[in-house]
Amino acid sequence: MTEQWPDDAEQIGNLVFVPNREYPYPFKVAVPPRFWMEEQTGVLEAAVDAYMNGERLDEAQLTALKLYLTQYVERAVMAHDANRQKYVGLIKKMRTIHDIESIADELAEFGAEVF
């Protein structure tokens, strides 16, 4: 990492997450998923803002959202019948806001509130 980040910072691709001690992940897992609000570079925040505002996503924003969603699916506690590999595959194929909405809605059914 080129910036000076705290010791507990985690880099995922070009995104840097610093855990929020006041809002920890509520479940015991080996490695907790990172929340989008914990990302420090501003790249993910801009991508989430564009998504939430229904704006067309550029390639960098789409890549940031894919990184974020993938790590969340791989790490989060989800209902036992959630097919993580299926969702990781769908995330890799995401191209549109509709794709993101569909995946986020399905993940919520398994207990993963990604936004």
Side-chain angles (χ1 to χ4, degrees), residues 25 27-29 31-33 69-92 103 107 110-112:
Y25 189 65
F27 304 103
K28 296 270 187 209
V29 292
V31 180
L69 291 171
T70 298
Q71 66 81 33
Y72 204 98
V73 167
E74 290 174 341
R75 298 175 176 190
V77 171
M78 295 170 58
H80 65 88
D81 56 346
N83 183 338
R84 292 176 194 271
Q85 289 309 102
K86 169 190 169 186
Y87 289 104
V88 168
L90 289 173
I91 290 165
K92 287 179 183 175
I103 292 168
L107 292 173
F110 293 108

Side-chain angles (χ1 to χ4, degrees), residues 36 39 42-51 55 57 61:
W36 71 266
E39 205 280 318
V43 171
L44 185 56
E45 180 179 10
V48 171
D49 284 348
Y51 160 68
E55 298 170 10
L57 301 172
Q61 291 169 327

Side-chain angles (χ1 to χ4, degrees), residues 31-71:
V31 180
R34 296 294 166 217
F35 297 111
W36 71 266
M37 300 83 64
E38 298 174 333
E39 205 280 318
Q40 302 297 301
T41 67
V43 171
L44 185 56
E45 180 179 10
V48 171
D49 284 348
Y51 160 68
M52 294 289 190
N53 290 323
E55 298 170 10
R56 183 175 168 89
L57 301 172
D58 65 31
E59 200 58 39
Q61 291 169 327
L62 189 59
T63 297
L65 287 167
K66 287 179 180 183
L67 283 170
Y68 167 68
L69 291 171
T70 298
Q71 66 81 33

